[in-house]
Amino acid sequence: MSNSKMYMEDGKLMVPDNVVIPFIEGDGVGAEITPVCQKIVNSAVELAYVGKRSIEWKEVLAGGKAFEKTGEWLPQATLDAFKEYLVGIKGPLTTPVGGGIRSLNVALRQTLDLYVCLRPVRWFKGVVSPVKEPHKVNMYIFRENTEDIYAGIEWEQGTPEAQKFYKFLHDEMGVTKVRFPETSSFGVKPVSKEGTQRLVRAAIQFALDNGLPSVTLVHKGNIMKFTEGGFKRWGYEVAETEFKDRTFTMNEYERLKKDLGEESAKAAVAKALNEGKLVVKDCIADAFLQNTLLLPEEYSVIATLNLNGDYISDQLAAMVGGIGIAPGANINYKTGHAIFEATHGTAPNIAGQDVVNPCSLLLSSVMMLEYMGWKEAAQLIVNALEKAFSNGEATADLARFMPKGNALGTKDFGQRIVELL
Ligand code: NAD
């Protein structure tokens, strides 16, 4: 069994040809999308490597199915399997109501310290989009996954904790700016140099590995100078120290402009582009959201904080008409741990009706194959999806907006993709 596990060697993920991948089927529609995706992935791997490579799927339990079978929402054996096998995939999970674990997804993310939430955003020909030129949207969002105002450090107004926190702010920190102290809730926004730099390092390395033109640091450093401003400064620092020979930063441009004038700075940019260097720039979050609508072609890899990343991921996904089919992954590039996932929920309103769209999980499977370096199999699936969507073949959620849409059930759509491989 040991030779069927992925492992890290000199910072690189090593993948055996016959690999075991743990998967969580998922609640609700999970039982429909998971087998369809596995069938497509198996066919693509078989076609691409003609028996040389294969995946052995190992089911692990989480969510409602786990609770039914074991009385636990997230059994230790599941966490152990993801730890041991490094890379896994999951369908959507019901969030348990009431005490216990707040969110299974958060628990998985925290246990494995999956600090990057990666969301690729691209348009598929045939998919109806609300923007005029969706083909210009082609981005990879690296959202920091462990810090920021999302860290869950907050106190509700009126509680002794909120009052104590305010007292500390007022009496010990000299804060007098809280407008309505008696009725304020408080939240804390931790943003660290270490947390920022590991995220930005991963984004830059990804851009270099995939020959992409730029990394944009998206922040609100103009207002939140130490947290979001720190993100920008520490991000540029990574580029200018660790990737000095392979990047050109807008920071450098500004310095040259100040010291030597605009012409020299522009010449330096032109030289850097000529040499194929990766451009690292930054953008204020509000302007960035505007720019993604007006000039999406100017952006490629995005590195941003947790909250900004949440908004940006959904806006960009909507721009390509793909909010229901957007894939995602949570990754720790240092340890190699990664969980690929459907980004939608359990869709209980359509579960069991054979109408759910499997593409979010399928495109997450594509990301997983790419992460493993099995790019040929990944490309086969992408090509098949492109063909299906261009023909107007899709599940009802997408087909109903396509001019010549032909709505297929989940199983038939999966079968069609296998045929188109
Ligand atoms: P949802 O994403 O399950 O559904 C929202 C709407 O989108 C519904 O109308 C649903 O039918 C539709 N939809 C979602 N995925 C679809 C698909 N693949 N194809 C076609 N239509 C699709 O969100 P919700 O209703 O807010 O949440 C339901 C449950 O899922 C809750 O328990 C929630 O906590 C959980 N949830 C889990 C995850 C996760 O595990 N990653 C994410 C979000 C919500």
Side-chain angles (χ1 to χ4, degrees), residues 232-247:
K232 171 184 155 185
R233 280 193 306 280
W234 299 323
Y236 273 137
E237 196 180 294
V238 170
E240 288 170 6
T241 53
E242 297 174 31
F243 299 93
K244 196 173 183 319
D245 299 335
R246 303 181 70 188
T247 60

Side-chain angles (χ1 to χ4, degrees), residues 139-144 148 189 196 199-200 215-222 227-229 231-232 235-236 280-292 299-309 311-312 316:
M139 298 184 213
Y140 296 86
I141 304 157
F142 278 69
R143 166 185 169 191
E144 205 290 323
D148 198 3
K189 180 181 172 79
T196 298
L199 183 273
V200 174
V215 172
T216 305
L217 310 169
V218 178
H219 61 90
K220 281 290 289 179
N222 53 332
T227 49
E228 305 237 349
F231 182 88
K232 171 184 155 185
Y236 273 137
V280 180
K281 51 189 176 176
D282 75 282
C283 190
I284 306 275
D286 43 350
F288 176 76
L289 286 171
Q290 273 190 54
N291 292 352
T292 54
Y299 300 104
S300 175
V301 175
I302 311 304
T304 192
L305 301 101
N306 210 336
L307 176 63
N308 298 336
Y311 299 151
I312 291 168
L316 291 179

Side-chain angles (χ1 to χ4, degrees), residues 154-355:
E154 56 175 353
W155 299 283
E156 192 177 5
Q157 70 87 18
T159 59
E161 290 82 6
Q163 284 162 3
K164 189 171 176 184
F165 187 70
Y166 175 68
K167 195 168 167 357
F168 168 73
L169 285 182
H170 185 269
D171 296 355
E172 294 189 38
M173 304 300 285
V175 173
T176 54
K177 288 184 197 162
V178 181
R179 180 69 186 83
F180 299 110
E182 294 305 316
T183 58
S184 289
S185 292
F186 295 95
V188 176
K189 180 181 172 79
V191 177
S192 69
K193 183 173 179 179
E194 205 171 335
T196 298
Q197 293 198 329
R198 65 179 183 172
L199 183 273
V200 174
R201 186 177 298 121
I204 292 177
Q205 192 62 56
F206 181 88
L208 289 170
D209 290 347
N210 291 284
L212 298 167
S214 68
V215 172
T216 305
L217 310 169
V218 178
H219 61 90
K220 281 290 289 179
N222 53 332
I223 307 292
M224 293 171 269
K225 296 194 189 303
F226 302 127
T227 49
E228 305 237 349
F231 182 88
K232 171 184 155 185
R233 280 193 306 280
W234 299 323
Y236 273 137
E237 196 180 294
V238 170
E240 288 170 6
T241 53
E242 297 174 31
F243 299 93
K244 196 173 183 319
D245 299 335
R246 303 181 70 188
T247 60
F248 183 83
T249 70
M250 287 319 281
N251 230 11
E252 245 169 295
Y253 173 82
E254 292 300 335
R255 274 199 305 269
L256 287 170
K257 194 167 128 185
K258 205 165 136 234
D259 296 347
L260 305 171
E262 194 165 354
E263 285 314 307
S264 303
K266 279 188 178 158
V269 175
K271 183 168 176 278
L273 291 177
N274 237 342
E275 290 167 352
K277 284 190 175 170
L278 174 73
V279 174
V280 180
K281 51 189 176 176
D282 75 282
C283 190
I284 306 275
D286 43 350
F288 176 76
L289 286 171
Q290 273 190 54
N291 292 352
T292 54
L293 288 166
L294 302 171
L295 298 161
E297 65 275 22
E298 298 214 338
Y299 300 104
S300 175
V301 175
I302 311 304
T304 192
L305 301 101
N306 210 336
L307 176 63
N308 298 336
D310 199 357
Y311 299 151
I312 291 168
S313 302
D314 275 20
Q315 177 183 304
L316 291 179
M319 282 170 62
V320 292
I323 195 89
I325 63 168
N330 297 294
I331 305 174
N332 181 323
Y333 283 94
K334 269 193 199 155
T335 61
H337 285 114
I339 300 184
F340 296 80
E341 63 177 358
T343 58
H344 55 77
T346 58
N349 55 332
I350 55 167
Q353 297 172 26
D354 193 38
V355 293

Side-chain angles (χ1 to χ4, degrees), residues 12-88:
K12 276 186 114 181
L13 183 71
M14 308 305 285
V15 183
D17 282 339
N18 302 301
V19 68
V20 174
I21 296 185
F23 74 96
I24 295 170
E25 180 184 74
D27 296 321
V29 291
E32 293 163 80
I33 57 178
T34 293
V36 163
C37 291
Q38 289 181 354
K39 191 171 163 194
I40 295 170
V41 170
N42 289 344
S43 303
V45 168
E46 176 59 33
L47 269 172
Y49 310 114
V50 280
K52 252 200 83 213
R53 284 178 169 166
S54 67
I55 294 175
E56 185 187 321
W57 301 98
K58 174 186 167 68
E59 180 163 15
V60 292
L61 299 174
K65 193 168 175 184
F67 192 70
E68 256 171 47
K69 292 201 169 171
T70 69
E72 285 182 88
W73 288 95
L74 187 57
Q76 187 59 40
T78 298
L79 289 171
D80 291 345
F82 281 122
K83 263 190 208 150
E84 191 180 339
Y85 291 93
L86 292 193
V87 174

Side-chain angles (χ1 to χ4, degrees), residues 203 360 403:
S360 174

